[in-house]
PDB file of all heavy atoms in Angstrom:
ATOM      1  N   ASP H1125      -7.255  11.018  -9.297  1.00  0.00           N
ATOM      2  CA  ASP H1125      -5.984  11.673  -8.977  1.00  0.00           C
ATOM      3  C   ASP H1125      -4.954  11.276 -10.034  1.00  0.00           C
ATOM      4  O   ASP H1125      -4.147  10.375  -9.825  1.00  0.00           O
ATOM      5  CB  ASP H1125      -5.532  11.249  -7.574  1.00  0.00           C
ATOM      6  CG  ASP H1125      -4.148  11.780  -7.210  1.00  0.00           C
ATOM      7  OD1 ASP H1125      -3.553  12.516  -8.018  1.00  0.00           O
ATOM      8  OD2 ASP H1125      -3.671  11.448  -6.114  1.00  0.00           O
ATOM      9  N   ASP H1128      -0.728  11.822  -8.645  1.00  0.00           N
ATOM     10  CA  ASP H1128      -0.041  10.915  -7.720  1.00  0.00           C
ATOM     11  C   ASP H1128      -0.340   9.448  -8.011  1.00  0.00           C
ATOM     12  O   ASP H1128       0.487   8.581  -7.750  1.00  0.00           O
ATOM     13  CB  ASP H1128      -0.411  11.247  -6.270  1.00  0.00           C
ATOM     14  CG  ASP H1128       0.247  12.537  -5.829  1.00  0.00           C
ATOM     15  OD1 ASP H1128       1.311  12.869  -6.380  1.00  0.00           O
ATOM     16  OD2 ASP H1128      -0.310  13.226  -4.968  1.00  0.00           O
ATOM     17  N   MET H1129      -1.513   9.150  -8.564  1.00  0.00           N
ATOM     18  CA  MET H1129      -1.844   7.746  -8.822  1.00  0.00           C
ATOM     19  C   MET H1129      -1.126   7.202 -10.054  1.00  0.00           C
ATOM     20  O   MET H1129      -1.066   5.994 -10.248  1.00  0.00           O
ATOM     21  CB  MET H1129      -3.359   7.589  -8.980  1.00  0.00           C
ATOM     22  CG  MET H1129      -4.118   7.788  -7.677  1.00  0.00           C
ATOM     23  SD  MET H1129      -3.617   6.610  -6.418  1.00  0.00           S
ATOM     24  CE  MET H1129      -4.281   5.104  -7.101  1.00  0.00           C
ATOM     25  N   GLN H1132       1.249   4.583  -9.284  1.00  0.00           N
ATOM     26  CA  GLN H1132       0.753   3.362  -8.622  1.00  0.00           C
ATOM     27  C   GLN H1132       0.458   2.237  -9.609  1.00  0.00           C
ATOM     28  O   GLN H1132       0.131   1.130  -9.202  1.00  0.00           O
ATOM     29  CB  GLN H1132      -0.520   3.679  -7.827  1.00  0.00           C
ATOM     30  CG  GLN H1132      -0.299   4.598  -6.650  1.00  0.00           C
ATOM     31  CD  GLN H1132       0.626   3.985  -5.626  1.00  0.00           C
ATOM     32  OE1 GLN H1132       0.451   2.850  -5.221  1.00  0.00           O
ATOM     33  NE2 GLN H1132       1.637   4.719  -5.216  1.00  0.00           N
ATOM     34  N   TYR H1185       0.539   1.480  -0.939  1.00  0.00           N
ATOM     35  CA  TYR H1185      -0.810   1.867  -0.482  1.00  0.00           C
ATOM     36  C   TYR H1185      -1.291   3.094  -1.236  1.00  0.00           C
ATOM     37  O   TYR H1185      -0.506   3.946  -1.646  1.00  0.00           O
ATOM     38  CB  TYR H1185      -0.813   2.171   1.032  1.00  0.00           C
ATOM     39  CG  TYR H1185       0.449   2.777   1.571  1.00  0.00           C
ATOM     40  CD1 TYR H1185       0.712   4.138   1.474  1.00  0.00           C
ATOM     41  CD2 TYR H1185       1.420   1.975   2.174  1.00  0.00           C
ATOM     42  CE1 TYR H1185       1.879   4.687   1.972  1.00  0.00           C
ATOM     43  CE2 TYR H1185       2.609   2.511   2.659  1.00  0.00           C
ATOM     44  CZ  TYR H1185       2.828   3.877   2.566  1.00  0.00           C
ATOM     45  OH  TYR H1185       4.006   4.419   3.039  1.00  0.00           O
ATOM     46  N   TRP H1186      -2.579   3.129  -1.416  1.00  0.00           N
ATOM     47  CA  TRP H1186      -3.205   4.365  -1.917  1.00  0.00           C
ATOM     48  C   TRP H1186      -4.634   4.450  -1.381  1.00  0.00           C
ATOM     49  O   TRP H1186      -5.262   3.428  -1.093  1.00  0.00           O
ATOM     50  CB  TRP H1186      -3.169   4.461  -3.446  1.00  0.00           C
ATOM     51  CG  TRP H1186      -3.875   3.386  -4.232  1.00  0.00           C
ATOM     52  CD1 TRP H1186      -3.302   2.285  -4.793  1.00  0.00           C
ATOM     53  CD2 TRP H1186      -5.275   3.317  -4.564  1.00  0.00           C
ATOM     54  NE1 TRP H1186      -4.241   1.547  -5.446  1.00  0.00           N
ATOM     55  CE2 TRP H1186      -5.469   2.161  -5.323  1.00  0.00           C
ATOM     56  CE3 TRP H1186      -6.387   4.137  -4.293  1.00  0.00           C
ATOM     57  CZ2 TRP H1186      -6.732   1.780  -5.814  1.00  0.00           C
ATOM     58  CZ3 TRP H1186      -7.628   3.760  -4.777  1.00  0.00           C
ATOM     59  CH2 TRP H1186      -7.789   2.601  -5.532  1.00  0.00           C
ATOM     60  N   ILE H1187      -5.102   5.684  -1.272  1.00  0.00           N
ATOM     61  CA  ILE H1187      -6.457   5.970  -0.781  1.00  0.00           C
ATOM     62  C   ILE H1187      -7.108   6.951  -1.753  1.00  0.00           C
ATOM     63  O   ILE H1187      -6.456   7.908  -2.212  1.00  0.00           O
ATOM     64  CB  ILE H1187      -6.393   6.606   0.646  1.00  0.00           C
ATOM     65  CG1 ILE H1187      -5.742   5.644   1.667  1.00  0.00           C
ATOM     66  CG2 ILE H1187      -7.782   7.047   1.122  1.00  0.00           C
ATOM     67  CD1 ILE H1187      -6.538   4.420   2.029  1.00  0.00           C
ATOM     68  N   HIS H1188      -8.383   6.720  -2.061  1.00  0.00           N
ATOM     69  CA  HIS H1188      -9.130   7.646  -2.938  1.00  0.00           C
ATOM     70  C   HIS H1188      -9.077   9.056  -2.326  1.00  0.00           C
ATOM     71  O   HIS H1188      -9.254   9.210  -1.109  1.00  0.00           O
ATOM     72  CB  HIS H1188     -10.587   7.161  -3.034  1.00  0.00           C
ATOM     73  CG  HIS H1188     -11.392   7.904  -4.055  1.00  0.00           C
ATOM     74  ND1 HIS H1188     -11.744   9.226  -3.905  1.00  0.00           N
ATOM     75  CD2 HIS H1188     -11.915   7.501  -5.237  1.00  0.00           C
ATOM     76  CE1 HIS H1188     -12.445   9.614  -4.953  1.00  0.00           C
ATOM     77  NE2 HIS H1188     -12.559   8.575  -5.780  1.00  0.00           N
ATOM     78  N   PHE H1191     -11.250  10.278   0.496  1.00  0.00           N
ATOM     79  CA  PHE H1191     -11.152   9.622   1.806  1.00  0.00           C
ATOM     80  C   PHE H1191      -9.776   9.826   2.445  1.00  0.00           C
ATOM     81  O   PHE H1191      -9.435   9.155   3.406  1.00  0.00           O
ATOM     82  CB  PHE H1191     -11.474   8.122   1.667  1.00  0.00           C
ATOM     83  CG  PHE H1191     -12.925   7.864   1.423  1.00  0.00           C
ATOM     84  CD1 PHE H1191     -13.449   7.957   0.132  1.00  0.00           C
ATOM     85  CD2 PHE H1191     -13.788   7.571   2.475  1.00  0.00           C
ATOM     86  CE1 PHE H1191     -14.798   7.740  -0.101  1.00  0.00           C
ATOM     87  CE2 PHE H1191     -15.137   7.355   2.246  1.00  0.00           C
ATOM     88  CZ  PHE H1191     -15.654   7.435   0.956  1.00  0.00           C
ATOM     89  N   ARG H1192      -8.991  10.761   1.896  1.00  0.00           N
ATOM     90  CA  ARG H1192      -7.671  11.024   2.478  1.00  0.00           C
ATOM     91  C   ARG H1192      -7.791  11.937   3.693  1.00  0.00           C
ATOM     92  O   ARG H1192      -8.777  12.652   3.852  1.00  0.00           O
ATOM     93  CB  ARG H1192      -6.751  11.663   1.419  1.00  0.00           C
ATOM     94  CG  ARG H1192      -6.377  10.669   0.339  1.00  0.00           C
ATOM     95  CD  ARG H1192      -5.455  11.283  -0.715  1.00  0.00           C
ATOM     96  NE  ARG H1192      -5.341  10.353  -1.852  1.00  0.00           N
ATOM     97  CZ  ARG H1192      -4.842  10.661  -3.034  1.00  0.00           C
ATOM     98  NH1 ARG H1192      -4.381  11.874  -3.243  1.00  0.00           N
ATOM     99  NH2 ARG H1192      -4.792   9.757  -3.997  1.00  0.00           N
ATOM    100  N   GLY H1193      -6.764  11.909   4.532  1.00  0.00           N
ATOM    101  CA  GLY H1193      -6.739  12.779   5.705  1.00  0.00           C
ATOM    102  C   GLY H1193      -7.572  12.265   6.864  1.00  0.00           C
ATOM    103  O   GLY H1193      -7.774  12.973   7.845  1.00  0.00           O
ATOM    104  N   LEU H1194      -8.048  11.046   6.777  1.00  0.00           N
ATOM    105  CA  LEU H1194      -8.912  10.465   7.828  1.00  0.00           C
ATOM    106  C   LEU H1194      -8.163   9.387   8.612  1.00  0.00           C
ATOM    107  O   LEU H1194      -8.763   8.673   9.383  1.00  0.00           O
ATOM    108  CB  LEU H1194     -10.169   9.846   7.190  1.00  0.00           C
ATOM    109  CG  LEU H1194     -11.003  10.778   6.316  1.00  0.00           C
ATOM    110  CD1 LEU H1194     -12.114  10.016   5.595  1.00  0.00           C
ATOM    111  CD2 LEU H1194     -11.606  11.889   7.191  1.00  0.00           C
ATOM    112  N   ARG H1195      -6.874   9.262   8.362  1.00  0.00           N
ATOM    113  CA  ARG H1195      -6.013   8.248   8.962  1.00  0.00           C
ATOM    114  C   ARG H1195      -6.376   6.832   8.511  1.00  0.00           C
ATOM    115  O   ARG H1195      -5.983   5.853   9.126  1.00  0.00           O
ATOM    116  CB  ARG H1195      -5.961   8.359  10.504  1.00  0.00           C
ATOM    117  CG  ARG H1195      -5.585   9.765  10.963  1.00  0.00           C
ATOM    118  CD  ARG H1195      -4.854   9.828  12.290  1.00  0.00           C
ATOM    119  NE  ARG H1195      -3.449   9.473  12.165  1.00  0.00           N
ATOM    120  CZ  ARG H1195      -2.928   8.351  12.660  1.00  0.00           C
ATOM    121  NH1 ARG H1195      -3.681   7.494  13.291  1.00  0.00           N
ATOM    122  NH2 ARG H1195      -1.645   8.098  12.511  1.00  0.00           N
ATOM    123  N   LEU H1196      -7.114   6.744   7.421  1.00  0.00           N
ATOM    124  CA  LEU H1196      -7.430   5.412   6.875  1.00  0.00           C
ATOM    125  C   LEU H1196      -6.166   4.733   6.380  1.00  0.00           C
ATOM    126  O   LEU H1196      -5.965   3.540   6.605  1.00  0.00           O
ATOM    127  CB  LEU H1196      -8.398   5.551   5.699  1.00  0.00           C
ATOM    128  CG  LEU H1196      -9.885   5.438   5.968  1.00  0.00           C
ATOM    129  CD1 LEU H1196     -10.641   5.553   4.648  1.00  0.00           C
ATOM    130  CD2 LEU H1196     -10.215   4.138   6.668  1.00  0.00           C
ATOM    131  N   GLY H1197      -5.313   5.501   5.696  1.00  0.00           N
ATOM    132  CA  GLY H1197      -4.079   4.925   5.163  1.00  0.00           C
ATOM    133  C   GLY H1197      -3.215   4.360   6.271  1.00  0.00           C
ATOM    134  O   GLY H1197      -2.719   3.227   6.188  1.00  0.00           O
ATOM    135  N   SER H1198      -3.037   5.124   7.352  1.00  0.00           N
ATOM    136  CA  SER H1198      -2.205   4.666   8.475  1.00  0.00           C
ATOM    137  C   SER H1198      -2.776   3.412   9.114  1.00  0.00           C
ATOM    138  O   SER H1198      -2.053   2.442   9.368  1.00  0.00           O
ATOM    139  CB  SER H1198      -2.114   5.759   9.546  1.00  0.00           C
ATOM    140  OG  SER H1198      -1.457   6.882   9.040  1.00  0.00           O
ATOM    141  N   ALA H1199      -4.077   3.438   9.396  1.00  0.00           N
ATOM    142  CA  ALA H1199      -4.689   2.295  10.093  1.00  0.00           C
ATOM    143  C   ALA H1199      -4.680   1.044   9.212  1.00  0.00           C
ATOM    144  O   ALA H1199      -4.447  -0.077   9.701  1.00  0.00           O
ATOM    145  CB  ALA H1199      -6.123   2.664  10.501  1.00  0.00           C
ATOM    146  N   LEU H1224       9.536  -0.441   1.534  1.00  0.00           N
ATOM    147  CA  LEU H1224       8.819   0.524   0.688  1.00  0.00           C
ATOM    148  C   LEU H1224       9.720   1.724   0.459  1.00  0.00           C
ATOM    149  O   LEU H1224      10.731   1.909   1.146  1.00  0.00           O
ATOM    150  CB  LEU H1224       7.494   0.940   1.341  1.00  0.00           C
ATOM    151  CG  LEU H1224       7.549   1.699   2.669  1.00  0.00           C
ATOM    152  CD1 LEU H1224       7.687   3.216   2.448  1.00  0.00           C
ATOM    153  CD2 LEU H1224       6.281   1.440   3.483  1.00  0.00           C
ATOM    154  N   GLY H1225       9.310   2.530  -0.511  1.00  0.00           N
ATOM    155  CA  GLY H1225      10.019   3.782  -0.756  1.00  0.00           C
ATOM    156  C   GLY H1225       9.010   4.848  -1.122  1.00  0.00           C
ATOM    157  O   GLY H1225       7.975   4.551  -1.704  1.00  0.00           O
ATOM    158  N   HIS H1226       9.300   6.089  -0.715  1.00  0.00           N
ATOM    159  CA  HIS H1226       8.399   7.177  -1.128  1.00  0.00           C
ATOM    160  C   HIS H1226       9.215   8.412  -1.482  1.00  0.00           C
ATOM    161  O   HIS H1226      10.307   8.637  -0.952  1.00  0.00           O
ATOM    162  CB  HIS H1226       7.365   7.487  -0.036  1.00  0.00           C
ATOM    163  CG  HIS H1226       7.921   8.234   1.144  1.00  0.00           C
ATOM    164  ND1 HIS H1226       8.037   9.602   1.168  1.00  0.00           N
ATOM    165  CD2 HIS H1226       8.387   7.793   2.330  1.00  0.00           C
ATOM    166  CE1 HIS H1226       8.554   9.975   2.323  1.00  0.00           C
ATOM    167  NE2 HIS H1226       8.789   8.902   3.046  1.00  0.00           N
ATOM    168  N   ARG H1227       8.634   9.182  -2.402  1.00  0.00           N
ATOM    169  CA  ARG H1227       9.288  10.432  -2.797  1.00  0.00           C
ATOM    170  C   ARG H1227       9.378  11.355  -1.589  1.00  0.00           C
ATOM    171  O   ARG H1227       8.445  11.415  -0.777  1.00  0.00           O
ATOM    172  CB  ARG H1227       8.475  11.120  -3.903  1.00  0.00           C
ATOM    173  CG  ARG H1227       8.565  10.473  -5.258  1.00  0.00           C
ATOM    174  CD  ARG H1227       7.576  11.101  -6.211  1.00  0.00           C
ATOM    175  NE  ARG H1227       6.201  10.825  -5.830  1.00  0.00           N
ATOM    176  CZ  ARG H1227       5.306  11.735  -5.466  1.00  0.00           C
ATOM    177  NH1 ARG H1227       5.627  13.020  -5.451  1.00  0.00           N
ATOM    178  NH2 ARG H1227       4.081  11.390  -5.128  1.00  0.00           N
ATOM    179  N   ASN H1230       6.482  13.557  -0.649  1.00  0.00           N
ATOM    180  CA  ASN H1230       5.199  12.907  -0.331  1.00  0.00           C
ATOM    181  C   ASN H1230       5.205  12.557   1.162  1.00  0.00           C
ATOM    182  O   ASN H1230       5.261  11.392   1.550  1.00  0.00           O
ATOM    183  CB  ASN H1230       5.031  11.646  -1.194  1.00  0.00           C
ATOM    184  CG  ASN H1230       3.653  11.008  -1.060  1.00  0.00           C
ATOM    185  OD1 ASN H1230       2.797  11.532  -0.349  1.00  0.00           O
ATOM    186  ND2 ASN H1230       3.451   9.882  -1.724  1.00  0.00           N
ATOM    187  N   PRO H1231       5.174  13.608   2.032  1.00  0.00           N
ATOM    188  CA  PRO H1231       5.368  13.362   3.471  1.00  0.00           C
ATOM    189  C   PRO H1231       4.281  12.490   4.093  1.00  0.00           C
ATOM    190  O   PRO H1231       4.540  11.778   5.071  1.00  0.00           O
ATOM    191  CB  PRO H1231       5.363  14.768   4.084  1.00  0.00           C
ATOM    192  CG  PRO H1231       4.683  15.633   3.077  1.00  0.00           C
ATOM    193  CD  PRO H1231       4.984  15.045   1.740  1.00  0.00           C
ATOM    194  N   ALA H1232       3.058  12.517   3.543  1.00  0.00           N
ATOM    195  CA  ALA H1232       1.993  11.681   4.116  1.00  0.00           C
ATOM    196  C   ALA H1232       2.363  10.209   4.022  1.00  0.00           C
ATOM    197  O   ALA H1232       2.077   9.416   4.926  1.00  0.00           O
ATOM    198  CB  ALA H1232       0.676  11.950   3.394  1.00  0.00           C
ATOM    199  N   SER H1233       3.036   9.830   2.942  1.00  0.00           N
ATOM    200  CA  SER H1233       3.429   8.435   2.782  1.00  0.00           C
ATOM    201  C   SER H1233       4.444   8.027   3.844  1.00  0.00           C
ATOM    202  O   SER H1233       4.370   6.934   4.413  1.00  0.00           O
ATOM    203  CB  SER H1233       3.997   8.218   1.375  1.00  0.00           C
ATOM    204  OG  SER H1233       4.345   6.866   1.203  1.00  0.00           O
ATOM    205  N   ALA H1235       4.714   9.377   6.809  1.00  0.00           N
ATOM    206  CA  ALA H1235       4.006   9.316   8.097  1.00  0.00           C
ATOM    207  C   ALA H1235       3.270   7.986   8.234  1.00  0.00           C
ATOM    208  O   ALA H1235       3.240   7.378   9.314  1.00  0.00           O
ATOM    209  CB  ALA H1235       3.035  10.494   8.206  1.00  0.00           C
ATOM    210  N   ILE H1236       2.691   7.511   7.133  1.00  0.00           N
ATOM    211  CA  ILE H1236       2.014   6.213   7.169  1.00  0.00           C
ATOM    212  C   ILE H1236       3.023   5.107   7.475  1.00  0.00           C
ATOM    213  O   ILE H1236       2.781   4.231   8.312  1.00  0.00           O
ATOM    214  CB  ILE H1236       1.307   5.940   5.827  1.00  0.00           C
ATOM    215  CG1 ILE H1236       0.075   6.816   5.707  1.00  0.00           C
ATOM    216  CG2 ILE H1236       0.937   4.460   5.693  1.00  0.00           C
ATOM    217  CD1 ILE H1236      -0.714   6.604   4.429  1.00  0.00           C
ATOM    218  N   SER H1239       4.066   5.179  11.087  1.00  0.00           N
ATOM    219  CA  SER H1239       2.947   4.786  11.943  1.00  0.00           C
ATOM    220  C   SER H1239       2.687   3.280  11.865  1.00  0.00           C
ATOM    221  O   SER H1239       2.195   2.666  12.816  1.00  0.00           O
ATOM    222  CB  SER H1239       1.737   5.619  11.525  1.00  0.00           C
ATOM    223  OG  SER H1239       0.564   4.984  11.781  1.00  0.00           O
TER     224      SER H1239
HETATM  225  C1  LIG N 280      -0.250   8.822   0.797  1.00  0.00           C
HETATM  226  C2  LIG N 280      -1.730   8.477   1.047  1.00  0.00           C
HETATM  227  C3  LIG N 280      -1.912   6.955   0.967  1.00  0.00           C
HETATM  228  C4  LIG N 280      -2.126   9.003   2.438  1.00  0.00           C
HETATM  229  O1  LIG N 280      -3.384   8.431   2.776  1.00  0.00           O
HETATM  230  P1  LIG N 280      -4.304   9.044   3.942  1.00  0.00           P
HETATM  231  O2  LIG N 280      -5.335   8.051   4.302  1.00  0.00           O
HETATM  232  O3  LIG N 280      -4.754  10.397   3.558  1.00  0.00           O
HETATM  233  O4  LIG N 280      -3.248   9.185   5.128  1.00  0.00           O
HETATM  234  P2  LIG N 280      -3.610   9.389   6.649  1.00  0.00           P
HETATM  235  O5  LIG N 280      -4.877  10.179   6.805  1.00  0.00           O
HETATM  236  O6  LIG N 280      -3.541   8.041   7.320  1.00  0.00           O
HETATM  237  O7  LIG N 280      -2.427  10.319   7.130  1.00  0.00           O
HETATM  238  C5  LIG N 280      -1.155   9.779   7.302  1.00  0.00           C
HETATM  239  C6  LIG N 280      -0.268  10.794   7.961  1.00  0.00           C
HETATM  240  O8  LIG N 280       0.171  11.734   6.984  1.00  0.00           O
HETATM  241  C7  LIG N 280       0.030  13.024   7.509  1.00  0.00           C
HETATM  242  N1  LIG N 280      -0.178  13.898   6.382  1.00  0.00           N
HETATM  243  C8  LIG N 280      -1.220  13.911   5.538  1.00  0.00           C
HETATM  244  N2  LIG N 280      -1.024  14.838   4.575  1.00  0.00           N
HETATM  245  C9  LIG N 280       0.178  15.388   4.842  1.00  0.00           C
HETATM  246  C10 LIG N 280       0.956  16.415   4.226  1.00  0.00           C
HETATM  247  N3  LIG N 280       0.556  17.022   3.106  1.00  0.00           N
HETATM  248  N4  LIG N 280       2.136  16.743   4.799  1.00  0.00           N
HETATM  249  C11 LIG N 280       2.569  16.115   5.897  1.00  0.00           C
HETATM  250  N5  LIG N 280       1.893  15.127   6.514  1.00  0.00           N
HETATM  251  C12 LIG N 280       0.714  14.798   5.988  1.00  0.00           C
HETATM  252  C13 LIG N 280      -1.149  12.927   8.434  1.00  0.00           C
HETATM  253  O9  LIG N 280      -1.143  13.973   9.388  1.00  0.00           O
HETATM  254  C14 LIG N 280      -0.894  11.590   9.068  1.00  0.00           C
HETATM  255  O10 LIG N 280       0.131  11.739  10.046  1.00  0.00           O
HETATM  256  P3  LIG N 280      -0.082  11.242  11.541  1.00  0.00           P
HETATM  257  O11 LIG N 280      -0.293   9.757  11.432  1.00  0.00           O
HETATM  258  O12 LIG N 280       1.208  11.599  12.205  1.00  0.00           O
HETATM  259  O13 LIG N 280      -1.277  11.969  12.031  1.00  0.00           O
HETATM  260  C15 LIG N 280      -2.648   9.188   0.003  1.00  0.00           C
HETATM  261  O14 LIG N 280      -2.336  10.547  -0.010  1.00  0.00           O
HETATM  262  C16 LIG N 280      -2.504   8.630  -1.397  1.00  0.00           C
HETATM  263  O15 LIG N 280      -3.175   7.667  -1.754  1.00  0.00           O
HETATM  264  N6  LIG N 280      -1.636   9.249  -2.231  1.00  0.00           N
HETATM  265  C17 LIG N 280      -1.437   8.775  -3.610  1.00  0.00           C
HETATM  266  C18 LIG N 280      -0.707   7.444  -3.679  1.00  0.00           C
HETATM  267  C19 LIG N 280       0.576   7.487  -2.884  1.00  0.00           C
HETATM  268  O16 LIG N 280       1.306   8.474  -2.880  1.00  0.00           O
HETATM  269  N7  LIG N 280       0.870   6.356  -2.214  1.00  0.00           N
HETATM  270  C20 LIG N 280       2.096   6.200  -1.477  1.00  0.00           C
HETATM  271  C21 LIG N 280       3.162   5.859  -2.459  1.00  0.00           C
HETATM  272  S1  LIG N 280       4.706   5.546  -1.667  1.00  0.00           S
END
Side-chain angles (χ1 to χ4, degrees):
D1125 174 3
D1128 288 333
M1129 290 300 291
Q1132 293 298 311
Y1185 33 82
W1186 61 262
I1187 298 291
H1188 189 291
F1191 288 83
R1192 290 180 191 166
L1194 304 173
R1195 307 209 78 250
L1196 267 182
S1198 296
L1224 64 87
H1226 74 85
R1227 286 172 293 116
N1230 187 2
S1233 182
I1236 287 181
S1239 152

